[in-house]
Amino acid sequence: MLENDDKKEVTENKKAKKEHRKVSIWAVIITAVVAIAIGAGGMYAYMYNEVKEAQTVSASMKKIQTIYETLYYNYYKKTSAKKLQNGAINGMIDALDDQFSEYMTKSEAESLNDTISGSFVGIGVEVQKSGNYIKVIAPIDNTPAAKAGLKAKDLITKVNGKSIKGVSLEKVISTIRGKKGTYVTLTIQRDGSTFTKKVKRATIPVSTVYGNIDSKNKTVGYIKVTTFSTNTAKEFKKEIKILRKKGAKSFVIDVRDNPGGLMNVAISMASMFVKYGKNVMQVQGRNGETEVYKSSKSYSGGFKVTEPTVVLVNSGSASASEIFASALNESANIKLIGTKTYGKGTVQTTQEYKDGTELKLTIDKWLTANGTWINKKGIEPTIKSDWPSVAYLAAINTDKSYQEGQVSKQVKKIQKILKYLGYFTGTSNGYYGSDTKDAIAKFQSDNGITSTGTADKATVIKMESKLSSKLSNQDNAYKTALKQLTN
């Protein structure tokens, strides 16, 4: 279960770990010697600023230590050193106002490592802290979370009926995870509605790439990339070779609801499509200096994909998947089909500590091949194409039944689903009239449910199941992709 944001999105982690050390007296002495050698004027100014910055940091640390000791020894009841330490660390990180920077406890760090390199038990959803609650970035394809209908931007407010308001991300993740085959109940807020989802925990597969030949167009290979993890590039290369042997002459690459992952993996995969020497992406540090990453044989391993290709994206395509998609679009003229992407334009690295905890910190911006920063803006597709609007309806609350004479938003959703399934021809206005009652009765009769005309829990669940089945054949973005490749 991907319960955290990207792990190590840069390959130069070791560089980042060495930055921002305190300036020692020896560093000052060495700097002074260099100043004499190359000219004291400019170097003196540099040395002065470095020492002044070090003094500022030192003064801040003394104040923090003083407050820490005051709280530890004088608070009216005993408190643990670890609690104060974690509070200080998390307080500093919260001051950054950056949802992607966080201090991870040992278990949380281990959880994140598992999602990058191994299998694990969970429900398969990428989440992040959002205010007092937890927000879904994207469910992983073919996992319990995806099958249960969780969607990007869903807000989890309760786990097993208990509010998670103010609860740490680690504790929420720990509660969501559990023994394989058991269930966890999530309370979700979506578009102003609140509902519950009971999700069965399972082993989340390590594989991140899945492929097949289109059932009707035997020369089109479809490849779904769920995350950009350690082995994704290797899996991707293998899948391309398999589909070529099966007759694929063109490819649809699907990174919809792909929450991202490792930056170097995205660069490696993009280099399989982008001509060597052309830009893949850029990374910009806090000083404004920009490093350009170009497609190369060292990234792709010499493996190239030259067949006609399109890429599917949506609002759940984030981070590394946006790096991949934008590189193919801007540097290989490959079309993006779907809806606007998530818009995560920052790079994180991790600092590991001896006790197993980790600090995940945003250290850079990343820009597209052309130098565009897509943070909080996303990437617009070349061709907009989406599921039918009914696919985005919030789930219906099954804690109550709905019957003739009622008026509510829940009834309006029922009417829209019935209309899409061909049972309702009236106006979806939220009023449960006789026409709605008749439509429900007909649906119940057709699906082996006692025909009462009342939309009870069993009826609503069956309706949502039928909706999901019908929508599986209404993937308009994929249909558009096929037209681009076969016309």
Side-chain angles (χ1 to χ4, degrees):
M1 176 173 63
L2 269 177
E3 301 292 2
N4 288 292
D5 190 39
D6 310 329
K7 172 65 174 171
K8 295 177 181 175
E9 294 185 307
V10 287
T11 56
E12 295 84 7
N13 283 351
K14 293 182 180 178
K15 290 182 183 178
K17 293 177 183 179
K18 295 178 182 178
E19 293 180 354
H20 307 299
R21 292 175 174 169
K22 292 182 181 178
V23 178
S24 69
I25 185 64
W26 292 108
V28 175
I29 292 172
I30 292 169
T31 301
V33 173
V34 173
I36 294 172
I38 66 173
M43 203 64 198
Y44 174 80
Y46 170 79
M47 182 181 71
Y48 174 79
N49 289 333
E50 287 291 298
V51 173
K52 187 175 180 180
E53 186 174 324
Q55 290 173 340
T56 300
V57 172
S58 179
S60 296
M61 293 308 297
K62 285 181 181 178
K63 185 174 182 179
I64 291 171
Q65 183 177 353
T66 299
I67 293 175
Y68 171 88
E69 291 175 351
T70 301
L71 295 176
Y72 185 76
Y73 290 110
N74 297 299
Y75 186 58
Y76 83 100
K77 59 182 179 180
K78 189 174 181 179
T79 187
S80 72
K82 185 175 182 180
K83 184 176 182 180
L84 290 176
Q85 172 189 292
N86 289 342
I89 294 170
N90 287 318
M92 287 188 288
I93 295 171
D94 288 344
L96 300 175
D97 193 25
D98 176 15
Q99 62 187 0
F100 299 112
S101 292
E102 60 179 320
Y103 174 69
M104 297 178 286
T105 62
K106 182 179 179 180
S107 59
E108 189 172 358
E110 289 174 345
S111 170
L112 188 53
N113 287 329
D114 286 344
T115 66
I116 293 296
S117 59
S119 63
F120 47 91
V121 174
I123 64 171
V125 64
E126 169 84 1
V127 299
Q128 66 185 34
K129 192 73 174 175
S130 179
N132 287 318
Y133 299 107
I134 303 300
K135 184 168 71 175
V136 173
I137 294 179
I140 301 173
D141 199 45
N142 293 319
T143 62
K147 293 175 182 177
L150 269 67
K151 296 181 179 179
K153 298 182 181 180
D154 281 349
L155 199 67
I156 301 174
T157 60
K158 294 181 182 180
V159 178
N160 292 329
K162 294 184 178 180
S163 174
I164 60 170
K165 184 176 181 180
V167 179
S168 69
L169 184 62
E170 177 208 1
K171 289 184 178 179
V172 176
I173 292 168
S174 178
T175 305
I176 292 176
R177 289 189 170 189
K179 187 178 180 181
K180 180 180 178 181
T182 59
Y183 289 85
V184 59
T185 300
L186 306 178
T187 300
I188 306 291
Q189 284 184 6
R190 182 191 298 165
D191 298 329
S193 298
T194 300
F195 55 93
T196 60
K197 284 289 184 180
K198 190 174 182 180
V199 189
K200 189 175 183 179
R201 299 180 177 100
T203 299
I204 306 304
V206 177
S207 298
T208 60
V209 179
Y210 306 87
N212 61 264
I213 293 293
D214 185 76
S215 59
K216 295 181 180 179
N217 301 277
K218 301 299 182 180
T219 61
V220 178
Y222 169 82
I223 301 177
K224 174 70 175 178
V225 183
T226 60
T227 60
F228 286 82
S229 298
T230 304
N231 296 319
T232 302
K234 186 185 298 183
E235 292 176 34
F236 187 79
K237 178 180 177 180
K238 180 180 178 180
E239 193 60 47
I240 289 283
K241 289 181 176 180
I242 290 172
L243 294 178
R244 280 173 173 168
K245 288 181 179 179
K246 292 181 178 180
K249 302 297 182 184
S250 60
F251 296 102
V252 177
I253 312 299
D254 191 349
V255 293
R256 290 177 297 182
D257 294 323
N258 181 323
L262 303 177
M263 187 182 93
N264 62 315
V265 174
I267 295 172
S268 295
M269 290 171 58
S271 291
M272 297 177 188
F273 297 84
V274 176
K275 184 178 179 181
Y276 294 153
K278 297 195 71 174
N279 290 1
V280 171
M281 65 173 296
Q282 303 178 40
V283 172
Q284 188 176 82
R286 62 186 286 177
N287 60 2
E289 292 183 4
T290 301
E291 182 177 2
V292 179
Y293 290 79
K294 297 180 180 292
S295 174
S296 69
K297 188 175 181 179
S298 62
Y299 279 124
S300 71
F303 183 77
K304 299 297 288 184
V305 181
T306 57
E307 293 91 341
T309 300
V310 294
V311 179
L312 303 182
V313 295
N314 69 356
S315 61
S317 304
S319 192
S321 59
E322 292 176 295
I323 292 173
F324 174 78
S326 64
L328 268 60
N329 179 239
E330 294 182 359
S331 292
N333 200 31
I334 289 174
K335 293 179 180 178
L336 307 183
I337 299 173
T339 59
K340 187 169 69 173
T341 63
Y342 181 85
K344 180 179 179 291
T346 55
V347 178
Q348 285 72 40
T349 189
T350 57
Q351 171 74 60
E352 301 173 5
Y353 300 99
K354 291 181 180 179
D355 61 357
T357 60
E358 292 186 11
L359 172 65
K360 182 166 65 116
L361 181 67
T362 299
I363 58 169
D364 293 308
K365 297 178 179 180
W366 75 261
L367 315 176
T368 67
N370 292 344
T372 302
W373 194 36
I374 56 93
N375 200 54
K376 297 182 179 180
K377 299 176 183 177
I379 302 167
E380 291 287 352
T382 312
I383 303 173
K384 291 185 178 181
S385 187
D386 200 4
W387 299 92
S389 60
V390 70
Y392 294 99
L393 286 177
I396 297 168
N397 186 353
T398 56
D399 291 337
K400 59 177 70 175
S401 295
Y402 307 92
Q403 55 192 1
E404 190 173 9
Q406 293 180 342
V407 180
S408 71
K409 292 181 180 178
Q410 302 295 314
V411 172
K412 188 174 184 177
K413 294 175 195 174
I414 289 171
Q415 291 170 330
K416 288 183 176 180
I417 294 174
L418 288 170
K419 179 170 286 191
Y420 184 71
L421 295 176
Y423 287 92
F424 182 68
T425 58
T427 303
S428 300
N429 55 12
Y431 173 65
Y432 203 120
S434 58
D435 52 352
T436 304
K437 180 181 179 180
D438 292 343
I440 285 290
K442 180 67 167 63
F443 176 84
Q444 290 170 327
S445 177
D446 288 350
N447 289 278
I449 302 172
T450 302
S451 184
T452 63
T454 296
D456 56 10
K457 181 176 181 178
T459 303
V460 170
I461 290 175
K462 191 67 175 180
M463 284 172 54
E464 291 182 332
S465 175
K466 288 290 184 180
L467 172 64
S468 179
S469 296
K470 185 172 180 179
L471 283 172
S472 65
N473 296 316
Q474 297 296 317
D475 189 345
N476 294 328
Y478 180 65
K479 290 180 179 178
T480 301
L482 290 177
K483 289 181 181 178
Q484 290 295 311
L485 295 174
T486 56
N487 285 349

